[in-house]
Amino acid sequence: MSKTVGDVQVLEFRLEDRKYCIDIAHVDEIVDKGELTPLPNAEPRVEGVMDLRGATTTIINPKKVLDLDETETGDRVVVLETDGDGTVGWLIDAVDEVISLHDETVDESVESDSVKGIVRQDDGFVVWVKPEEINGS
């Protein structure tokens, strides 16, 4: 049975002054950014690694993937569910809320490598991103 968009809940978050969202099924937890250890010769999207309860977590900066002007890195980390390839977290500026999507609010005509679609809201648009593209997997 395939899911319609209306069955999907997404986590809405902010990067700079823009809103983004990700399917809540991909989210494990949200934590404060701890001390990061930079990795030499890592891809530009990789800010470093962080110890999260004994697990080495690779920290990705989605702003670098999405070509956003980076004023400063965020201080919150969205930790994602992964398929055993190690733990990955995204640096974000703020978590807004979890919202349920309805078919009529999602426009998938703008889909690209990193964007699943655009969610229409009263106060503008929310960009629905694909975690596998942001992570580079």
Side-chain angles (χ1 to χ4, degrees):
M1 185 169 103
S2 66
K3 274 186 170 182
T4 64
V5 173
D7 295 325
V8 176
Q9 287 192 311
V10 294
L11 175 71
E12 189 178 294
F13 60 93
R14 273 181 284 141
L15 300 172
E16 305 293 341
D17 57 352
R18 299 182 187 155
K19 290 183 178 183
Y20 294 86
C21 66
I22 181 175
D23 188 327
I24 196 76
H26 295 295
V27 177
D28 187 26
E29 64 181 320
I30 299 160
V31 297
D32 289 325
K33 179 175 82 173
E35 185 176 337
L36 296 184
T37 302
L39 293 175
N41 304 318
E43 289 185 54
R45 73 178 85 205
V46 177
E47 288 288 323
V49 293
M50 181 175 115
D51 179 31
L52 190 59
R53 285 186 296 288
T56 301
T57 304
T58 302
I59 303 300
I60 304 281
N61 187 344
K63 293 178 187 179
K64 293 187 176 170
V65 181
L66 299 168
D67 289 331
L68 293 181
D69 296 330
E70 191 176 345
T71 49
E72 56 187 69
T73 57
D75 57 2
R76 304 283 284 155
V77 174
V78 175
V79 181
L80 304 179
E81 292 277 352
T82 56
D83 297 330
D85 296 339
T87 310
V88 174
W90 291 359
L91 280 177
I92 61 166
D93 294 329
V95 173
D96 285 347
E97 60 186 335
V98 174
I99 55 174
S100 294
L101 296 185
H102 304 286
D103 290 330
E104 65 274 8
T105 61
V106 178
D107 182 350
E108 294 179 329
S109 68
V110 296
E111 184 176 3
S112 69
D113 287 346
S114 57
V115 174
K116 182 176 179 71
I118 296 287
V119 180
R120 295 175 181 275
Q121 289 187 329
D122 295 339
D123 57 350
F125 294 109
V126 179
V127 178
W128 189 354
V129 293
K130 299 177 183 176
E132 62 277 5
E133 297 299 330
I134 302 294
N135 294 345
S137 58

